[in-house]
Amino acid sequence: MEANMKVNKELLKGSTAVLVLTTLAKQDQYGYELIREIERQSEGVFAFKEGTLYPILHTLEAEGWVESYWQVHDGRKRKYYRITDKGKQHVKERKAEWQLFRTAVDRVIGEGGV
Amino acid sequence: MEANMKVNKELLKGSTAVLVLTTLAKQDQYGYELIREIERQSEGVFAFKEGTLYPILHTLEAEGWVESYWQVHDGRKRKYYRITDKGKQHVKERKAEWQLFRTAVDRVIGEGGV
DNA sequence: TAACGATACATAGTTATTCTAGGTATTAGT
DNA sequence: ACTAATACCTAGAATAACTATGTATCGTTA
C-alpha cells in the first residue's frame, strides 16, 4: 500500500469535502482514523497528511456539515466527527456536481463510452 | 447554452491542461476557438473565461507541450496552437492520472459500479 | 526506566492554480 | 459613426491543499 501514489494534488481540490463527508455518512470517525479509512477505500490513491485533513474537518464543522465530540476509546482521547442533516444535504449536492464534472471531463477527453 | 453552469471551479484545478491538450490533439486551434470548442464538447459545463485560458496556453507553451504560430484566416489574425510530441506524451500520462483519480473518487463515494 | 515509534490533535506560512477585472485592437453590421 | 463580436493580453485577488512544525499520550522494548 504505497502512500502518495502520485495523483496530482491539484486534481484533489474541490473533492476533499465530498470524500470526507461520504465517509462520515457511513459512521462517525475521528481524524486520524479517517485518513486511513480514505486511503484504504481509495486503494492508496488518497493519502491525506494530518496537516491537510485537520483543517478541512474544522472547515466542515464551521460550515455546520459535521459536529464533533470527544470520546475516550482504548484509553485514548479522540475527537469524533458526526455528519449533520445539513451535511447530508450538502454531500448529495456535491455528489451530483462530481457526476456532472466527471461526465464532462470524460466527454472532452474521449473516455467513458463516447 | 448557459455559460458557467455551476461546477465548483476548484474541481477544475489540475484538469485544465488535459482538457486543452486533448482538444489540441485533434486539431490546431486558437484560444478564442478553444473556449467555444471545450464548452461545446463538455455540453456547457466548462466555460473558460479568456483571462483563464490565455495564461494556461502560455504555460503549456513554456512547458513545451504546445507551439504557437500566427495565421490570418477570414481576414483575422489568430494565434494557433499545435500540440508537440512532448505534449502528446504528457497528455497520455495526465489521462492515466485522471482515470486513477476518477476511479478512486468513485470508490470512496460509492458510485461507478462498485 | 528510558527511549522510541505510533497514535492523535493542532496551526502558521507557502505554493499552486484559477478567477476577476481590467486593458488593447480589429472586423462586421447597422 | 457607433456598437457588438472577435481576438489577444496581464496584474492582482482568491482559494485550497501542502509543508513543516509543535504538543501530548500510549505501548513496546532494550
Side-chain angles (χ1 to χ4, degrees):
Chain A
M1 187 80 68
E2 242 61 66
N4 254 24
M5 286 174 65
K6 61 155 186 330
V7 159
N8 187 330
K9 52 194 169 188
E10 293 304 326
L11 271 180
L12 214 46
K13 295 202 176 179
S15 316
T16 50
V18 76
L19 294 176
V20 172
L21 289 174
T22 304
T23 306
L24 288 177
K26 292 168 196 160
Q27 61 174 27
D28 296 5
Q29 284 188 313
Y30 58 98
Y32 203 81
E33 186 183 20
L34 265 169
I35 291 173
R36 279 128 202 282
E37 178 62 14
I38 293 176
E39 182 168 2
R40 195 188 61 74
Q41 280 186 47
S42 68
E43 296 183 14
V45 176
F46 302 132
F48 291 109
K49 300 292 165 51
E50 298 170 49
T52 300
L53 186 64
Y54 290 121
I56 289 170
L57 287 169
H58 300 159
T59 303
L60 298 183
E61 187 165 25
E63 296 284 351
W65 297 327
V66 301
E67 293 164 347
S68 66
Y69 55 95
W70 286 91
Q71 193 168 306
V72 178
H73 221 266
D74 301 324
R76 283 189 172 278
K77 251 181 35 179
R78 292 163 176 165
K79 193 174 182 181
Y80 282 82
Y81 288 89
R82 168 174 47 226
I83 193 167
T84 63
D85 286 342
K86 193 176 162 192
K88 286 177 194 162
Q89 181 55 37
H90 180 72
V91 78
K92 195 186 295 180
E93 292 161 15
R94 299 281 272 189
K95 273 192 185 182
E97 189 179 76
W98 161 253
Q99 300 298 340
L100 186 65
F101 173 74
R102 189 188 62 166
T103 304
V105 171
D106 282 341
R107 277 206 194 94
V108 175
I109 75 174
E111 321 275 331
V114 176
Chain B
M1 190 77 66
E2 241 62 66
N4 255 25
M5 286 175 65
K6 61 154 187 331
V7 159
N8 187 329
K9 52 194 169 188
E10 294 305 324
L11 273 179
L12 214 46
K13 294 198 179 181
S15 317
T16 51
V18 76
L19 294 176
V20 171
L21 289 174
T22 304
T23 306
L24 288 178
K26 293 170 197 158
Q27 60 174 27
D28 296 6
Q29 284 188 313
Y30 58 97
Y32 203 80
E33 187 183 19
L34 265 169
I35 292 174
R36 279 129 202 281
E37 178 62 14
I38 293 177
E39 181 168 2
R40 195 188 61 76
Q41 280 186 45
S42 70
E43 297 183 14
V45 175
F46 303 133
F48 291 109
K49 301 291 164 55
E50 297 171 49
T52 301
L53 185 64
Y54 289 121
I56 288 170
L57 287 170
H58 300 159
T59 303
L60 298 183
E61 188 167 25
E63 296 283 352
W65 297 326
V66 301
E67 293 164 346
S68 64
Y69 56 95
W70 286 91
Q71 193 169 306
V72 179
H73 220 267
D74 302 324
R76 283 187 172 280
K77 252 180 36 177
R78 290 161 178 168
K79 195 175 183 181
Y80 282 82
Y81 288 88
R82 168 175 47 227
I83 192 168
T84 62
D85 286 343
K86 193 177 163 192
K88 285 176 194 164
Q89 182 54 38
H90 180 72
V91 78
K92 196 186 293 182
E93 292 161 15
R94 299 282 272 190
K95 274 191 185 184
E97 189 179 75
W98 163 253
Q99 300 298 339
L100 185 66
F101 173 74
R102 189 188 62 166
T103 304
V105 171
D106 283 341
R107 276 206 195 95
V108 176
I109 75 175
E111 322 275 332
V114 177

